[in-house]
Amino acid sequence: MTAEGDGVMASHASPLVRDAVDVEVRRPGTPRRGTGFLTEPFRLGTTPSATVGPYLAIGLTWDDGPYAVPAGTPGAVWLRGRVFDGNGDLVPDAMIETWQADPDGRFAHPDDPRGAVTHEPGFRWLGRSHTVDGGEYAVLTLKPGRVPDGEGGLQAPHVDVSVFARGLLDRVVTRIYFADEAEANAEDVVLRSLPDDASRATLIARPTDDGYRLDIRLQGRADEGLDETVFFAV
C-alpha cells in the first residue's frame, strides 16, 4: 500500500487499531495486533452451560440437608446408596433429593386431601444429600407409611427420589421401596405396572444395620447384567 494509502487508513482507523503493537507482551490497556496464528495450544474448557454436577453443592445443599429428622430420633433409618453413570463409574458430585409421607402415610401439606396432619414433630418430609466419599448419598429419615393409590387401594411404603447429576439437563425421578415390605410391594400399583422382576428390583432397597441401601444407576450395563434404575416421566 502506498504511503498515501497508509495515511488514509490511519486517519480512519480506530484508536484500538492505530495503537496496537506487534509484540507478544501486552501493555495494560493496549491491544496486540494478532497474526492469525495460535501462539500456544488451543484448549476448550468446560462452560457452565455444558455441565450440571459441579455446581450442585453450591447453594443447593446445606449442613443438615440429609436429615429429614434430627439425629437420635426414635425409629430413624439411614437411606444410603451409590450413584453410577453409564460407564459404571461413581458420580462424585450428584445430588439426591427425597420426598415422602410420614410413618402414618400423611403429609402436613394442604395438597393432602385427608388434611395437613402429622404426629411426627421434627419430621420435614424432605431430605437432600450430595454424594460424598466417592459417590454415596445418605439421608436420615423415618420409614414412610402407605398412601392411597387413587384406585381405592394403598401404595407400598416408598420414598420419591429426584436425582441431579452432571450431564443431566433436568432431574430424573425414581422411587425407593423396601425389601421387608413384600406383601405391600406385591399390591403396589406402580411396581405391578413394571414389566418384570428385574426392573422392580432396581427400586427395592435392602435392609442394613442402620437402615436401607439402594444404588442408583443412570444407565445400565448389559455386559455385566446390571439394569438401569427405573425412572418415571413426571
Side-chain angles (χ1 to χ4, degrees):
M1 182 176 290
T2 64
E4 180 181 355
D6 286 341
V8 171
M9 184 182 75
S11 64
H12 288 85
S14 73
L16 291 179
V17 173
R18 289 198 309 270
D19 298 338
V21 294
D22 293 311
V23 296
E24 290 295 322
V25 179
R26 291 183 56 182
R27 297 193 303 272
T30 303
R32 180 175 62 84
R33 183 177 293 122
T35 64
F37 294 94
L38 292 172
T39 58
E40 58 185 27
F42 180 63
R43 296 181 178 87
L44 285 175
T46 303
T47 66
S49 61
T51 185
V52 177
Y55 302 96
L56 294 174
I58 303 176
L60 296 181
T61 59
W62 63 97
D63 289 344
D64 71 340
Y67 293 87
V69 291
T73 298
V77 295
W78 280 103
L79 301 181
R80 304 182 195 272
R82 297 168 296 174
V83 181
F84 293 90
D85 65 15
N87 290 325
D89 297 327
L90 291 168
V91 180
D93 49 14
M95 185 178 76
I96 301 297
E97 184 177 275
T98 62
W99 175 254
Q100 64 171 92
D102 69 13
D104 295 325
R106 304 298 293 265
F107 294 90
H109 191 281
D111 287 346
D112 191 327
R114 300 162 296 174
V117 177
T118 184
H119 302 291
E120 298 293 339
F123 176 62
R124 67 181 181 207
W125 294 270
L126 171 75
R128 186 179 286 178
S129 170
H130 59 275
T131 52
V132 297
D133 297 331
E136 181 168 271
Y137 69 89
V139 172
L140 184 70
T141 188
L142 297 173
K143 192 174 180 182
R146 303 182 71 174
V147 299
D149 62 9
E151 299 180 0
L154 293 172
Q155 300 182 61
H158 69 275
V159 175
D160 294 319
V161 178
S162 294
V163 184
F164 303 81
R166 61 173 67 191
L168 300 180
L169 298 182
D170 197 359
R171 64 174 181 159
V172 291
V173 178
T174 187
R175 284 184 168 191
I176 294 177
Y177 288 87
F178 303 92
D180 53 7
E181 296 284 350
E183 183 176 349
N185 291 343
E187 300 172 355
D188 186 85
V189 64
V190 174
L191 288 176
R192 291 205 318 265
S193 71
L194 300 181
D196 51 45
D197 288 340
S199 58
R200 283 185 278 273
T202 68
L203 305 182
I204 298 177
R206 301 295 170 183
T208 64
D209 291 341
D210 61 356
Y212 298 86
R213 172 172 289 275
L214 181 68
D215 291 340
I216 296 172
R217 299 186 180 276
L218 299 178
Q219 290 180 293
R221 293 290 303 274
D223 57 330
E224 297 183 11
L226 300 173
D227 291 321
E228 177 181 312
T229 296
V230 169
F231 298 106
F232 301 97
V234 295

